[in-house]
Amino acid sequence: MTTHTPEYYLQRSIEIAETNCKTNNGGPFGAVIVRNGEIVAECGNSVTTTNDPTAHAEVNAIRQACKKLNTFDLSDCEIYASCEPCPMCLSAIYWARIPKLYYAANKHDAKDAGFDDSFIYDELDKNENERSIYIKRINLSTSEQPFEIWKGMSNKVEY
């Protein structure tokens, strides 16, 4: 096991982002997940090549790491991102329980390059009826039934 500095892994995420641009494989973003000094996943953004708007570098790396490690809990890992994660990616990092995040460029640098996530933060601050997408809750008699089943399960895997 070779342990490197955070700067080493961060530089690797930047190299992935640069390669992603040069090969037109997706956006200018890269992410690396490390556990105990070993890189377990490294990915670039592949939104445009996979036609998947969730295929950001961080999400791709989380998926890859979870598959490789056969777990949804990455609490013993660190993530290195070439840029400050967007709201979706930051949420995924929290859901994966990754306790340490290091990033290089910030959201202002991303905005200058045409990647502005501020509208999402602005939308979250609005009431549902003021958001740019139509949102309506329809409360059916069965709406809570899946949660009632879940609460009663003895063999559930909590996450």
Side-chain angles (χ1 to χ4, degrees):
M1 173 181 75
T2 303
T3 302
H4 297 285
T5 65
E7 290 80 6
Y8 172 86
Y9 300 115
L10 200 54
Q11 181 59 42
R12 179 67 193 131
S13 74
I14 293 168
E15 291 166 3
I16 293 165
E18 290 174 348
T19 299
N20 227 34
C21 289
K22 292 174 185 174
T23 60
N24 205 20
N25 199 39
F29 302 95
V32 174
I33 295 180
V34 175
R35 182 175 78 168
N36 298 326
E38 176 188 347
I39 294 175
V40 294
E42 56 180 27
C43 295
N45 175 301
S46 62
V47 169
T48 58
T49 55
T50 61
N51 294 317
D52 178 354
T54 68
H56 291 199
E58 298 90 337
V59 172
N60 287 343
I62 288 169
R63 289 174 179 157
Q64 189 181 88
C66 288
K67 185 174 183 177
K68 180 176 181 179
L69 299 173
N70 195 33
T71 184
F72 56 83
D73 182 352
L74 302 178
S75 59
D76 57 351
C77 297
E78 303 169 343
I79 189 165
Y80 298 83
S82 63
C83 184
E84 182 176 359
C86 74
M88 176 186 68
C89 292
L90 186 58
S91 296
I93 291 165
Y94 276 106
W95 278 113
R97 298 186 180 112
I98 299 173
K100 292 182 180 180
L101 160 66
Y102 301 88
Y103 66 89
N106 65 33
K107 61 185 174 185
H108 306 291
D109 301 319
K111 180 179 180 178
D112 289 345
F115 299 92
D116 185 9
D117 299 323
S118 62
F119 77 95
I120 297 173
Y121 291 108
D122 293 342
E123 286 284 298
L124 292 173
D125 284 338
K126 295 177 183 177
N127 291 323
E128 285 183 0
N129 61 346
E130 297 172 332
R131 293 183 183 163
S132 63
I133 62 172
Y134 178 79
I135 301 173
K136 178 172 177 66
R137 179 178 185 211
I138 299 175
N139 191 13
L140 303 176
S141 62
T142 56
S143 294
E144 296 176 27
Q145 193 168 331
F147 295 118
E148 294 306 318
I149 293 169
W150 176 259
K151 288 190 255 183
M153 289 175 53
S154 60
N155 63 337
K156 64 185 167 203
V157 177
E158 300 212 19
Y159 60 95

